[in-house]
Amino acid sequence: EELETSKEELQSINEELQTVNAELNIRVDELSRANNDMANLLESTQIATVFLDRDLCIKSFTPTARDLFRLVESDVGRPLAHVRPRFPADRLQADMEQVLLRLGTIERQVEGTDNGRRYIMRVLPYRTVDNVIAGVVVTFVDVTQIARAEEKIGVLSHDLRNRVESLETLLDLVPVGIFIAEDGDGAEIRANRRAVELMGQRSTGDKLISVPAVLPLTLNGVKVDAEEQPLRKAIRTGKPIPGYEAQILHENGSGIDVMMSANPLFDENGKVRGAIATLVDISSHKEAERSQERLLHELQHRVKNILATVTALASRMVGTSSSIGDFFSSFQQRLQAMGRTHEVLSSYNWRDADLEQLLRAVLTPYS
């Protein structure tokens, strides 16, 4: 009976051992899968990682860590300081010791001596699931492409700044007023120095100056509505507004004639994002037109006077001439005298002429 009882107990223990063994096999499989997952994760991220214990000896490392250290499988258990690095690692030992002491994280940028690639090195404490510091983890993230992109962005930004500065200098030098509106609903626009001067304001040292979006434009003495001004109209309609003539009134009551042209600006989607306009002072041109009209009027008046004088001479000499030959000779002499009179008057710009010179020019043929 005792043997029977012992046998049953052994069978019971054996069954328990089989159960425990099955559970252990399951745990081993789970651990194996976890290790495989972790290995694939570290491999897929391409992040070089070295795990160290509290003595800063190597516990394990990822395959990409060989790009930063001359590691072999037999280096596990050796201090990391005994492994020759492939980057300047003068401060690595001190950083690892400091991380163990202060439990913080240190991050630096390093560059490989063999391949010239750039990495972000992070040194952080190795924590167990029980939140126990069991060593140090050193990771290296390859940021070569990011660094090169940042360098390229820096070069492009520098070039862009130079181009913008050159453009602003050009806008400041051109003898044409220029307005730039980057927002159709904005209360202010930017203007170059010449535009500010044409508006009758004092320009500052800035190359582009903020001015009110509504310009002091008038047309035939009537103030131009804000929405009908070329800059706003170009933004609203999305079409260029060429050759718009108006007047600008200054605060002191004076004014100038101007011609304004505006073109809309579009973004990459074809949507209006603003407008740019030019402002030209045409006061001298308008004054020249008025002077031309006065000259034409004066010319018409003088031609009428000359024709009236010639008509009067002809009428008078017809009655006093004895023959056609006598009329022709006298009429020709009178016309020549009138021509000489006009020459003298023209030499004095039709102003105060010398009377003696006029008389000599007219009477010399008869002396």
Side-chain angles (χ1 to χ4, degrees), residues 6 32 34 40 85 112 157 167 212 251 308 320 365:
S6 299
S32 178
N40 282 278
S157 299
L167 179 59
E251 294 180 355
T320 59

Side-chain angles (χ1 to χ4, degrees), residues 193-213:
R193 178 172 52 85
R194 179 58 178 165
V196 174
E197 293 174 351
L198 291 177
M199 292 176 62
Q201 301 178 9
R202 178 178 294 181
S203 61
T204 62
D206 298 332
K207 295 178 180 178
L208 289 178
I209 306 165
S210 295
V211 297

Side-chain angles (χ1 to χ4, degrees), residues 98-320:
Q98 184 176 355
V99 167
L100 277 178
L101 179 64
R102 299 184 179 181
L103 305 181
T105 301
I106 296 178
E107 181 175 303
R108 301 188 189 280
Q109 184 169 345
V110 297
E111 183 174 353
T113 55
D114 296 340
N115 52 19
R117 303 188 71 83
R118 298 181 183 180
Y119 301 88
I120 295 294
M121 181 186 73
R122 292 188 180 92
V123 183
L124 59 158
Y126 183 96
R127 298 176 184 271
T128 65
V129 293
D130 298 325
N131 199 24
V132 176
I133 305 302
V136 175
V137 180
V138 184
T139 64
F140 297 85
V141 180
D142 190 344
V143 293
T144 304
Q145 293 183 354
I146 297 176
R148 290 174 181 173
E150 289 177 348
E151 290 178 355
K152 189 173 182 180
I153 291 174
V155 173
L156 293 176
S157 299
H158 180 71
D159 183 61
L160 179 60
R161 284 194 298 269
N162 290 339
R163 289 175 181 269
V164 170
E165 184 177 357
S166 299
L167 179 59
E168 291 180 349
T169 303
L170 176 63
L171 294 178
D172 186 61
L173 292 177
V174 293
V176 177
I178 297 177
F179 297 98
I180 301 174
E182 298 178 349
D183 184 4
D185 299 327
E188 290 187 344
I189 57 177
R190 294 192 296 169
N192 68 342
R193 178 172 52 85
R194 179 58 178 165
V196 174
E197 293 174 351
L198 291 177
M199 292 176 62
Q201 301 178 9
R202 178 178 294 181
S203 61
T204 62
D206 298 332
K207 295 178 180 178
L208 289 178
I209 306 165
S210 295
V211 297
V214 180
L215 305 178
L217 296 178
T218 61
L219 189 61
N220 298 325
V222 180
K223 187 176 180 180
V224 180
D225 186 68
E227 295 301 322
E228 293 300 321
Q229 294 190 8
L231 202 61
R232 289 283 188 91
K233 195 172 182 179
I235 295 175
R236 189 178 73 253
T237 62
K239 297 179 181 179
I241 310 297
Y244 183 87
E245 295 186 7
Q247 297 82 37
I248 287 184
L249 294 181
H250 297 162
E251 294 180 355
N252 58 7
S254 62
I256 58 173
D257 294 299
V258 295
M259 176 183 290
M260 194 171 184
S261 299
N263 271 48
L265 301 175
F266 301 94
D267 59 15
E268 62 275 7
N269 298 321
K271 184 180 179 181
V272 177
R273 63 175 180 84
I276 185 169
T278 59
L279 188 70
V280 181
D281 185 359
I282 59 172
S283 299
S284 57
H285 178 69
K286 288 292 184 180
E287 183 61 30
E289 288 182 351
R290 289 189 285 267
S291 298
Q292 185 178 8
E293 291 178 359
R294 289 195 297 268
L295 289 175
L296 288 174
H297 180 72
E298 181 68 18
L299 179 60
Q300 292 176 355
H301 179 69
R302 291 183 183 275
V303 169
K304 288 181 180 179
N305 288 342
I306 292 173
L307 291 177
T309 302
V310 171
T311 302
L313 285 175
S315 300
R316 182 177 180 183
M317 295 180 66
V318 166
T320 59

Side-chain angles (χ1 to χ4, degrees), residues 22-36:
E23 292 178 356
L24 288 176
N25 288 333
I26 293 174
R27 295 292 180 88
V28 169
D29 292 338
E30 290 177 352
L31 182 60
S32 178
R33 285 197 299 269
N35 287 334
N36 291 333

